[in-house]
C-alpha cells in the first residue's frame, strides 16, 4: 500500500510551513509514518539549485530556464525522496510542488513546455491532495516581511504586490480546474482553525479512498 502524497501551495506568507508541520504532527499522532519535505530542495543537489534560483542568479535567463532548473531539482527529489517513501507506505507532505512551477514560471505561451517537463519529471507521482492556502497578496507579503526581519527578501518575495496577486489568481485557477485534487483554504483565519479544516479534508479523502 502506497503512502499518501500531500502538497501545500500558496503565495508568500500564506503559512504553508506551519500547516505542513501541523498536519504531519496530527498524522503521526495517529500512528502514520510521515516524511516532510519541500521544494525547491529536499535533496543535496536540489538544495544547491534552490539557492541558485532564490538568489536571483538565474533570473536573467528567463522563466523557461528557471523551470528547467526546478525540473532538474524535482527529478532528483522525486527519485531520491518522494517515490521511495510513498512505496514504503510513508505519507509525504511537501511544501510547494508542481503548482508553484505552473504559477511562478508559467506564461500564456509556455503551458505545453511546462506540461512536458512536468510529465517527464513526475513519472506518475501526482499529488493525491493539494491544499492551496489563499489570502490577499498584500496580507501575505506583510506576514512574510515580519517573519523575515532584517534578512533580505529572496528572488520572489522582492517582487511587486501586483505580481503576487496575479500569482494568487493563477493558484485559484488551478484549483478550479482540478477540484478533486486541490482544496482552497482561507489562510487569513487563526492557525488552529486552518489546521482543523485541513485535517477534516484529509480524513474525508481517507474515507473516500477506502470506500467507507
Amino acid at each position: 500500500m502506497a503512502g499518501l502524497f500531500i502538497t501545500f501551495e500558496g503565495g508568500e506568507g500564506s503559512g504553508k510551513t506551519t500547516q505542513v508541520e501541523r498536519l504531519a504532527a496530527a498524522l503521526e499522532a495517529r500512528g502514520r509514518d510521515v516524511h516532510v519535505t519541500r521544494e525547491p530542495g529536499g535533496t543535496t543537489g536540489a538544495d544547491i539549485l534552490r539557492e541558485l534560483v532564490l538568489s536571483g542568479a538565474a533570473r536573467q535567463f528567463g522563466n523557461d530556464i528557471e523551470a528547467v532548473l526546478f525540473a532538474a531539482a524535482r527529478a532528483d527529489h522525486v527519485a531520491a525522496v518522494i517515490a521511495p517513501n510513498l512505496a514504503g507506505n510513508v505519507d509525504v507532505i511537501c511544501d510547494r510542488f508542481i503548482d508553484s512551477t505552473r504559477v511562478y514560471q508559467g506564461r500564456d505561451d509556455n503551458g505545453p513546455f511546462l506540461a512536458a517537463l512536468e510529465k517527464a519529471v513526475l513519472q506518475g507521482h501526482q499529488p493525491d491532495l493539494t491544499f492551496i492556502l489563499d489570502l490577499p497578496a498584500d496580507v501575505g507579503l506583510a506576514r512574510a516581511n515580519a517573519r523575515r526581519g532584517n534578512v533580505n527578501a529572496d528572488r520572489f518575495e522582492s517582487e511587486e504586490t501586483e505580481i503576487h496577486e496575479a500569482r494568487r489568481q493563477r493558484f485559484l485557477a488551478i484549483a478550479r480546474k482540478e477540484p478533486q485534487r486541490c482544496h482552497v483554504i482561507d489562510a487569513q483565519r487563526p492557525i488552529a482553525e486552518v489546521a482543523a479544516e485541513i485535517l477534516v479534508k484529509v480524513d474525508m479523502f481517507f474515507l473516500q479512498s477506502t470506500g467507507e
Side-chain angles (χ1 to χ4, degrees), residues 157-205:
E157 290 174 335
S158 63
E159 293 176 318
E160 294 80 5
T161 303
E162 292 76 11
I163 293 176
H164 288 280
E165 183 61 31
R167 288 173 180 152
R168 176 195 182 194
Q169 297 306 319
R170 287 200 287 272
F171 275 123
L172 294 175
I174 291 171
R176 289 191 295 270
K177 187 176 180 180
E178 300 184 48
Q180 289 189 324
R181 174 176 68 90
C182 299
H183 300 272
V184 177
I185 306 294
D186 179 1
Q188 294 193 81
R189 296 171 299 160
I191 289 173
E193 189 175 327
V194 172
E197 181 181 355
I198 290 169
L199 187 56
V200 165
K201 292 188 180 298
V202 171
D203 285 340
M204 290 175 61
F205 180 88

Side-chain angles (χ1 to χ4, degrees), residues 84-123:
N85 276 289
L86 293 176
N89 196 26
V90 176
D91 297 330
V92 175
I93 305 177
C94 190
D95 185 340
R96 295 201 183 280
F97 198 58
I98 54 173
D99 298 304
S100 282
T101 299
R102 296 174 179 180
V103 166
Y104 283 77
Q105 281 72 51
R107 301 189 312 270
D108 291 340
D109 63 349
N110 72 345
F113 172 73
L114 294 185
L117 277 180
E118 186 177 301
K119 182 178 180 180
V121 167
L122 292 190
Q123 298 293 311

Side-chain angles (χ1 to χ4, degrees), residues 9-79:
E9 300 282 5
E12 311 304 325
S14 58
K16 297 183 313 304
T17 302
T18 297
Q19 294 303 329
V20 165
E21 293 170 351
R22 288 264 182 147
L23 180 58
L27 293 178
E28 287 172 344
R30 296 178 174 183
R32 296 186 67 87
D33 293 325
V34 180
H35 182 89
V36 171
T37 187
R38 68 175 184 178
E39 286 206 351
T43 67
T44 300
D47 279 332
I48 291 172
L49 291 173
R50 175 189 179 90
E51 295 305 316
L52 175 65
V53 173
L54 295 186
S55 71
R59 188 174 188 173
Q60 61 181 312
F61 300 113
N63 286 15
D64 287 352
I65 296 302
E66 278 193 343
V68 169
L69 291 173
F70 279 125
R74 182 166 297 133
D76 186 31
H77 191 202
V78 169

